[in-house]
Amino acid sequence: MKTHKILTLSLLLLTTLVTQAQTWQWAKSGGSSATGQDNSNREAIATIVTDSQGNVYTLSYLGGTDAVVNGVPRTTYNFGDDDRDALICSYTCTGALRWTRVLGGWNSDKISNMGIDENDNIYIALKRVVGLSEIPDTNTHFEPSVILPMSSEFESTYKETLFLVKYNSNGDLIWYRTPQAPNLSYIEGWYSISYDLSVDPQGNSYWYCALYDGTYANGAYTVNSAINGSNHILKYDADGNFVTGIPISIRPFNGYSSYPGEGFKFKRNHNNGKFYFVGSLTNLGAIINGQEYTPLDFDKYVCAFDSDGTFLWLKHNINTDARSIYDFSSTYSAHDIAFDSQNNIYYTGAGDSLITYIGNTSGILSVTADGWNGQYFTDFDNTIFSFYKVLVKMDENGNNVWLTNSFGSDEYNAVELSIFVNNDEIITGSGAHNFKWQGITNLNPLGNFCTCSRASITRFNKNTGAILGVDFATGFPGSSSTFSRLAIDNNGSIYAGGSLTSAVTIASTTLYTNGGPDDFLLAKFGSNNCTFLGTTTNEQDKTEFFPNPVNNELTVVSKEVLSYELFDSLGKKVQSGIVE
């Protein structure tokens, strides 16, 4: 047998060229006419992920009245105007809807997050409202065919509320797991919470939960706290097997009444295995590493824990009022965190000036800018009250590398924010009205007194924080749109998700809401290249290409002599040769 020849090719990263060619490609929306939405269950995209073949997946809420996706009616399971199901949508690179799945039951189930592994399987964590036999048709559904059983409210069966669900790339249900005991009471299930989820490339799920005292994972994990409830990270492997539980010393809002995602986010850096929490102390505060903090100490924070749950550090803003680095206390809150390959940390949030009043709120004595980790933001007007967006780069130990901020004169300057690292770029998504950032001024064509925002993405240089470009959707008087979640495909195209009210125009397509206050919004910004290099094996000559997806290097394994050509995401040939 001939020895396999292996060639490693360095792919060119033509970031500048790709960026210049990026434009809005398409936009999609969906929602219901249900009007009983609040910040915790708005019909907005909560998560976006992309796979190796260029498909995109979104997770959002969906009301039960006149629900549609891409204009097509969709069956839901919730009962009332205030209730929501979880909705998963999958689209192709060209924007065609591949499939949808609705998860939920009769009441408002709470979605936590969605992740994807290197084999294009997706994982969803949620907390359901259990079905009760006293109320017909209240079962929980995990489409396409799983309907969970139910019993009486007073029977300790079928009261599990926390679920981790796995689907493959075609939307087929692979498995679902609950860590809770089968003899759980209604109250015990109610007081447990699924907060957030982080999934690594191998399909390991790191599930951040608040757990009532008791045994979990078929007796493999025990929770016994002094306060009858504590927070933990539960690890499951790709096959749904429980691996371990990690107690974690952070308790948002000093209690268990908050909804998943409200005021904070949890992410694992899969490169170094550390856990990070970014949060808000608005109104109620938090307990971090045994220390109780309130808005009188600070308002926004990032804290880090080692892979075994050991507390590492806490960093926060400077001002001590609850309006600093502003947060709307919604599932799609105004802060996010991301990492690069060197384990640097990027934090984005929205803030406002600290005001000192003369006697009462009728007279302003002074206005002071906020800051981060002892360093003040510098771009602000010290004579007027101001809202602004911030972006901070920290090293792995939480030390500031650089920080930058926008300046604006109205509340709609900074709403929901998301962040993503792409090669040498930092990409943030938000909604904006009027703002000024590093000399770039956005004057809203709808007028300074229009209480509306336009969805936007802003690109920054990762090393310096300098703005590379800002791109907006087109709004209408009285309408608002925002991008609260971001993802990127292997060709460098950006997928931005969020919400719209009334109407928005993207890529010459105008989308309208379905009658409720919000609909979810998904848009693609990038190139029209939908060719993706996958792992291929030819049975005749046993040629293999890996890894899939390609990052910086492509390895070719073959028994035969091969010629090759490499193309960038715009279709331009950048390298060719022969493998001998």
Side-chain angles (χ1 to χ4, degrees):
M1 180 179 291
K2 296 178 65 174
T3 303
H4 288 204
K5 304 291 185 180
I6 301 178
L7 174 68
T8 301
L9 305 172
S10 295
L11 299 184
L12 301 181
L13 301 178
L14 303 181
T15 305
T16 301
L17 180 59
V18 173
T19 298
Q20 291 173 346
Q22 289 181 323
T23 57
W24 295 108
Q25 296 294 319
W26 49 259
K28 306 294 178 180
S29 66
S32 71
S33 60
T35 58
Q37 301 183 31
D38 57 36
N39 279 338
S40 68
N41 65 359
R42 295 172 48 220
E43 290 180 331
I45 289 179
T47 311
I48 309 174
V49 295
T50 59
D51 69 16
S52 63
Q53 303 304 310
N55 301 309
V56 58
Y57 306 82
T58 64
L59 177 66
S60 61
Y61 284 115
L62 185 64
T65 308
D66 304 321
V68 297
V69 178
N70 283 21
V72 179
R74 188 62 179 88
T75 300
T76 57
Y77 305 108
N78 60 78
F79 277 11
D81 199 48
D82 293 328
D83 302 324
R84 299 291 178 268
D85 292 324
L87 171 69
I88 310 169
C89 297
S90 179
Y91 301 84
T92 67
C93 172
T94 60
L97 182 64
R98 299 177 64 224
W99 51 263
T100 61
R101 297 289 181 266
V102 174
L103 293 74
W106 64 293
N107 209 304
S108 281
D109 303 287
K110 295 298 178 181
I111 57 180
S112 302
N113 212 336
M114 175 173 64
I116 191 167
D117 65 22
E118 60 190 3
N119 294 315
D120 300 340
N121 301 299
I122 59 173
Y123 304 76
I124 298 94
L126 57 84
K127 178 182 179 180
R128 67 153 181 163
V129 177
V130 299
L132 301 174
S133 58
E134 292 89 343
I135 309 174
D137 300 321
T138 57
N139 304 76
T140 299
H141 296 71
F142 293 157
E143 290 191 336
S145 59
V146 174
I147 302 176
L148 301 186
M150 59 184 179
S151 64
S152 168
E153 176 182 352
F154 306 102
E155 295 180 21
S156 295
T157 55
Y158 309 130
K159 297 302 186 294
E160 301 95 330
T161 56
L162 309 184
F163 284 88
L164 180 66
V165 188
K166 178 179 180 178
Y167 293 88
N168 66 17
S169 62
N170 294 318
D172 302 319
L173 180 66
I174 304 301
W175 51 254
Y176 63 92
R177 299 288 186 267
T178 176
Q180 295 166 304
N183 61 345
L184 200 70
S185 71
Y186 183 84
I187 294 298
E188 289 172 328
W190 181 261
Y191 280 102
S192 292
I193 294 177
S194 170
Y195 279 124
D196 213 336
L197 176 71
S198 188
V199 179
D200 69 17
Q202 292 74 42
N204 296 303
S205 295
Y206 300 86
W207 190 7
Y208 177 46
C209 300
L211 301 178
Y212 205 80
D213 284 6
T215 59
Y216 293 83
N218 296 317
Y221 190 63
T222 300
V223 175
N224 184 15
S225 67
I227 55 176
N228 196 22
S230 51
N231 290 6
H232 303 260
I233 296 173
L234 305 180
K235 180 180 178 180
Y236 284 79
D237 66 19
D239 295 321
N241 301 309
F242 176 77
V243 178
T244 189
I246 304 170
I248 203 82
S249 184
I250 178 170
R251 192 176 184 185
F253 286 98
N254 292 347
Y256 293 91
S257 61
S258 59
Y259 289 116
E262 289 189 353
F264 73 95
K265 292 175 186 173
F266 154 74
K267 286 188 178 180
R268 179 179 185 265
N269 183 347
H270 304 309
N271 190 44
N272 62 16
K274 296 177 181 178
F275 303 112
Y276 297 84
F277 296 81
V278 50
S280 165
L281 300 184
T282 304
N283 298 325
L284 294 180
I287 298 175
I288 302 173
N289 193 36
Q291 176 68 46
E292 183 174 351
Y293 296 98
T294 74
L296 296 178
D297 299 303
F298 53 85
D299 185 47
K300 291 295 187 293
Y301 63 88
V302 175
C303 60
F305 292 80
D306 212 343
S307 58
D308 62 357
T310 301
F311 174 78
L312 296 176
W313 50 258
L314 168 68
K315 308 296 179 182
H316 54 80
N317 69 312
I318 296 175
N319 287 348
T320 57
D321 70 326
R323 297 183 60 81
S324 308
I325 308 188
Y326 196 70
D327 176 63
F328 285 85
S329 295
S330 73
T331 303
Y332 318 99
S333 50
H335 42 241
D336 201 3
I337 191 173
F339 319 101
D340 64 19
S341 58
Q342 289 77 44
N343 299 320
N344 293 305
I345 303 161
Y346 300 85
Y347 166 80
T348 185
D352 63 26
S353 305
L354 175 63
I355 302 176
T356 301
Y357 294 105
I358 302 174
N360 54 50
T361 57
S362 63
I364 297 179
L365 175 63
S366 65
V367 179
T368 305
D370 200 358
W372 185 263
N373 196 21
Q375 184 177 354
Y376 284 93
F377 302 118
T378 58
D379 189 7
F380 79 107
D381 188 330
N382 62 4
T383 64
I384 63 173
F385 175 71
S386 172
F387 287 81
Y388 47 82
K389 293 190 286 286
V390 305
L391 178 62
V392 179
K393 179 178 181 178
M394 296 176 282
D395 64 20
E396 186 175 359
N397 297 317
N399 301 308
N400 288 357
V401 177
W402 51 254
L403 50 82
T404 180
N405 68 283
S406 70
F407 166 78
S409 59
D410 59 88
E411 182 171 337
Y412 293 87
N413 166 66
V415 283
E416 297 157 356
L417 294 169
S418 183
I419 190 170
F420 200 91
V421 179
N422 174 36
N423 295 327
D424 290 328
E425 289 186 349
I426 306 299
I427 304 166
T428 66
S430 68
H433 180 196
N434 291 324
F435 77 89
K436 182 179 181 181
W437 202 331
Q438 297 179 16
I440 299 176
T441 301
N442 164 50
L443 297 178
N444 194 329
L446 305 178
N448 290 338
F449 299 100
C450 173
T451 55
C452 51
S453 65
R454 289 193 294 159
S456 64
I457 55 176
T458 306
R459 290 169 285 113
F460 299 82
N461 182 289
K462 185 181 76 172
N463 299 313
T464 66
I467 287 181
L468 301 176
V470 185
D471 294 275
F472 290 91
T474 301
F476 297 89
S479 67
S480 294
S481 58
T482 187
F483 290 139
S484 54
R485 294 294 182 266
L486 296 172
I488 195 164
D489 67 21
N490 294 337
N491 289 336
S493 291
I494 302 166
Y495 294 87
S499 64
L500 69 114
T501 63
S502 185
V504 67
T505 297
I506 299 175
S508 301
T509 299
T510 301
L511 303 172
Y512 300 91
T513 55
N514 193 37
D518 292 283
D519 275 6
F520 69 80
L521 170 66
L522 175 67
K524 178 182 178 181
F525 182 84
S527 73
N528 60 4
N529 178 16
C530 286
T531 300
F532 293 85
L533 182 61
T535 301
T536 305
T537 301
N538 186 299
E539 291 300 325
Q540 182 177 0
D541 60 14
K542 300 297 182 184
T543 300
E544 298 182 48
F545 303 88
F546 61 85
N548 176 23
V550 176
N551 187 9
N552 294 322
E553 292 185 339
L554 169 68
T555 300
V556 181
V557 181
S558 178
K559 294 181 180 180
E560 308 296 330
V561 175
L562 296 176
S563 61
Y564 68 88
E565 294 180 331
L566 295 181
F567 298 84
D568 65 18
S569 61
L570 299 178
K572 179 181 177 181
K573 184 166 70 174
V574 295
Q575 190 174 337
S576 62
I578 296 176
V579 183
E580 296 183 353

